[in-house]
Amino acid sequence: MVWCGVDRRRFLRTMAAAAPMVAMPGWVSAALPIEPRVLRFAHLHTAERLEVAYMERGRYLPAALSQVNHLLRDFRTGDEHDIDPALLDLLHALHASTGSQRPFEIISGYRSPKTNAMLRSHSGGVASSSLHMQGQAIDIRLADVPLASLRDAALDLGRGGVGYYPSSNFVHVDTGRVRRW
């Protein structure tokens, strides 16, 4: 049988030859130019700004991740924690899906257990085991994207939790299980 000008045997040989490249993604990333993943942030509490390429050629960049960890530190205590690279990937995808041209405005990144306990004592909406304490959550907004549109785009990604806080003007995203509130 001929399919699109290729017989079955030739098709199977081609697929067999390609299998090692799929099994060894390092070969593929070395062979294919992959655009760097860049994120831009403006921290609303510290007034710090950061534009950083955190991934190049399919690899996370340790120095860039350190810059992100510092920016997203607990601004109340100064404590830093590793931020989940999957959270950065989620933000990158979210930025692309919204078409935003502005940096993410950061309300809250990492939270130390001390800060989380203090916030929890003042609000019933703070989880005792918040993913903020694991570096897996962030509260954000984008100046050129309506808040409800940002929430909808995050929900459409289906990559974790999405909390919508219109009265406080932010959206929470995390890399935990898929859920919404």
Side-chain angles (χ1 to χ4, degrees), residues 5 15 72 75 82 84 111 145 150:
M15 292 289 89
L72 298 182
F75 67 90
D82 288 342
D84 182 2
R111 279 192 214 140
V145 177
L150 181 60

Side-chain angles (χ1 to χ4, degrees), residues 170-181:
F170 72 85
V171 171
H172 165 102
V173 294
D174 66 51
T175 58
R177 63 184 171 76
V178 175
R179 63 209 188 288
R180 67 185 293 170
W181 63 95

Side-chain angles (χ1 to χ4, degrees), residues 111 116 120 126-134 136-137 179:
R111 279 192 214 140
N116 200 70
R120 188 166 163 71
V126 177
S128 61
S129 58
S130 170
L131 291 177
H132 284 278
M133 295 189 303
Q134 307 304 317
Q136 293 179 279
R179 63 209 188 288

Side-chain angles (χ1 to χ4, degrees), residues 26-95:
W27 286 10
V28 174
S29 67
L32 299 174
I34 298 174
E35 291 295 318
R37 290 189 185 174
V38 177
L39 287 170
R40 293 183 304 140
F41 298 105
H43 201 296
L44 298 180
H45 296 285
T46 65
E48 293 169 290
R49 299 177 82 74
L50 177 65
E51 180 170 331
V52 64
Y54 72 93
M55 177 187 274
E56 287 183 2
R57 300 183 70 76
R59 292 195 170 92
Y60 295 108
L61 304 175
L65 295 179
S66 291
Q67 289 180 293
V68 171
N69 294 343
H70 180 72
L71 178 76
L72 298 182
R73 70 192 179 278
D74 183 329
F75 67 90
R76 291 174 179 90
T77 66
D79 294 346
E80 291 185 22
H81 191 282
D82 288 342
I83 300 301
D84 182 2
L87 183 61
L88 303 181
D89 293 339
L90 186 158
L91 291 174
H92 187 265
L94 187 56
H95 203 267

